[in-house]
C-alpha cells in the first residue's frame, strides 16, 4: 500500500498566498469597493494593528471613494482584482478631479477613474435604497 504525502507550504509561502499581489501602492477592487494599499504589516506590527494575537500579516488600505483608512487581514480571492500596480507612476486622483475630467475631456478617463465613478454610484444607490449591489 502506498501512502501519499502532501507538502505543507512554509509560513512565508502561506502569507504570500494570503496577501496575493497586494503591496504598497497597489490599487485593487472587489465587490465591496476599490482600495489603495498604504502599507503591508507583518508579525508584531500586524498583531498590534489588528488587536489579534494570531495575525501574521495585515494590510492598511484607503477606501478610494470615501478616503477611510482601515486595517484588515482578509485573504486574496478570485473576487479581488488589481487595477493599478505599485510604482512611482501611480497617481490616484480624487473624485472631484475625476468629475472635472469627465465634464471636460471624458476620453482621458482611465479604467481606474471609471471604477471609482462606478463605486460612487453604487454607494449612492445603496444609501438611497439600502440595497447591496455586487458585480
Amino acid at each position: 500500500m502506498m501512502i501519499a504525502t502532501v507538502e505543507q507550504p512554509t509560513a512565508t509561502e502561506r502569507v504570500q498566498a494570503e496577501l496575493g499581489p497586494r503591496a504598497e501602492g497597489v490599487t485593487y477592487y472587489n465587490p465591496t469597493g476599490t482600495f489603495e494599499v498604504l502599507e503591508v504589516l507583518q508579525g508584531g506590527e500586524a498583531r498590534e494593528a489588528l488587536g489579534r494575537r494570531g495575525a501574521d500579516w495585515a494590510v492598511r488600505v484607503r477606501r478610494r471613494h470615501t478616503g477611510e483608512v482601515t486595517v484588515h487581514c482578509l485573504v486574496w480571492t478570485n473576487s479581488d482584482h488589481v487595477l493599478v500596480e505599485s510604482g512611482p507612476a501611480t497617481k490616484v486622483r480624487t473624485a472631484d478631479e475625476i468629475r472635472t475630467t469627465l465634464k471636460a475631456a471624458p476620453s482621458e478617463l482611465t479604467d481606474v477613474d471609471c471604477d471609482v465613478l462606478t463605486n460612487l454610484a453604487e454607494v449612492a444607490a445603496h444609501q438611497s435604497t439600502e440595497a447591496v449591489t455586487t458585480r
Side-chain angles (χ1 to χ4, degrees), residues 27-45:
T27 300
Y28 68 98
Y29 77 95
N30 60 38
T32 64
T34 302
F35 306 90
E36 175 189 3
V37 178
L38 303 175
E39 185 177 15
V40 176
L41 307 168
Q42 295 198 16
E45 283 184 313

Side-chain angles (χ1 to χ4, degrees), residues 54-77:
D56 293 326
W57 63 272
V59 288
R60 185 177 319 277
V61 297
R62 177 183 301 117
R63 186 177 288 272
R64 291 278 306 275
H65 67 275
T66 64
E68 175 188 19
V69 175
T70 59
V71 179
H72 71 79
C73 61
L74 300 171
V75 300
W76 187 263
T77 70

Side-chain angles (χ1 to χ4, degrees), residues 2 7 27 35 42 46-48 68 72 75-76 83-84 92 95 105 107 109-111 113-116 122-123 128 131:
M2 291 187 79
E7 287 189 37
T27 300
F35 306 90
Q42 295 198 16
R47 288 186 282 281
E48 184 177 325
E68 175 188 19
H72 71 79
V75 300
W76 187 263
L83 291 172
V84 179
V92 179
S107 64
L109 289 174
T110 66
D111 289 342
D113 294 338
C114 293
D115 191 64
V116 169
E122 289 176 355
V123 168
S128 66

